[in-house]
Amino acid sequence: MATLVLGGARSGKSAHAEGLLPADDATYVATARLDPDDAEWRQRIAAHVARRPPGWRTVEPTDLPGFLGRARGPVIVDDLATWLTGVMDDYDAWHGGLDGVRGECDRLVEAVTDCPAQLVLVSAEVGLGVVPATRSGRLFRDQLGTLNADLAQRCAEVVLLVAGIPLRLR
């Protein structure tokens, strides 16, 4: 059974999702790629790490769909927007390469569907704001919107966080 937790920036989506899993034993799948030149990004990651219960394990798989196929016990994936950014970078989707991105997204949706573990997915909801001014912004928004919609169809529960308030969609 999977739960999808959506929300905008600073909506409380990660903290809410973390609260859905037991404090004594869970696997935290971190999708952010560390940029050693970005001190602010490192601080954000450190804050997430410090908030996790001591019994949780953190993993950073290079193949998220493959990892989910082998997952056991409660698992949280935080977050799919940073995962998608990495996939789009890997396939150079900013200049083409969308077939590879769609293939990876399809693999992820199937892996979530077949995942044997209790699974909580965190993703940004980027479709509620203005239309991005740049091609890359629109491309990312569209790809993430499609991924979120595909996952929402497969998840038993879907929650949207707005201003720290969870709204159960399903």
Side-chain angles (χ1 to χ4, degrees), residues 52-114:
R52 293 177 205 150
W56 285 19
R57 293 168 305 288
T58 300
V59 297
E60 299 176 16
T62 57
D63 177 14
L64 179 58
F67 174 83
L68 293 179
R70 301 181 304 275
R72 300 293 180 263
V75 174
I76 182 171
V77 177
D78 194 2
D79 91 346
L80 296 177
T82 55
W83 174 80
L84 180 61
T85 299
V87 170
M88 291 179 76
D89 286 346
D90 292 345
Y91 283 93
D92 194 26
W94 314 110
H95 303 102
L98 281 179
D99 289 341
V101 172
R102 284 304 322 148
E104 287 301 309
C105 289
D106 291 346
R107 282 186 65 226
L108 178 64
V109 170
E110 288 305 315
V112 166
T113 302
D114 298 337

Side-chain angles (χ1 to χ4, degrees), residues 126-135 137-139 141-142:
V126 295
L128 298 174
V130 299
V131 175
T134 64
R135 178 189 176 281
R138 292 186 299 273
L139 182 65
R141 183 220 37 207
D142 293 350

Side-chain angles (χ1 to χ4, degrees), residues 137-154:
R138 292 186 299 273
L139 182 65
F140 177 77
R141 183 220 37 207
D142 293 350
Q143 294 302 308
L144 185 59
T146 299
L147 177 61
N148 287 344
D150 291 348
L151 288 169
Q153 292 302 312
R154 304 288 184 101

Side-chain angles (χ1 to χ4, degrees), residues 14-69:
S14 293
H16 178 80
E18 291 165 3
L20 298 176
L21 296 177
D24 60 336
D25 181 39
T27 300
Y28 185 101
V29 179
T31 62
R33 296 181 182 184
L34 187 60
D35 179 352
D37 296 326
D38 189 340
E40 188 268 340
W41 188 243
R42 287 194 316 271
Q43 289 174 345
R44 284 176 182 255
I45 291 171
H48 271 256
V49 171
R51 188 175 64 213
R52 293 177 205 150
W56 285 19
R57 293 168 305 288
T58 300
V59 297
E60 299 176 16
T62 57
D63 177 14
L64 179 58
F67 174 83
L68 293 179

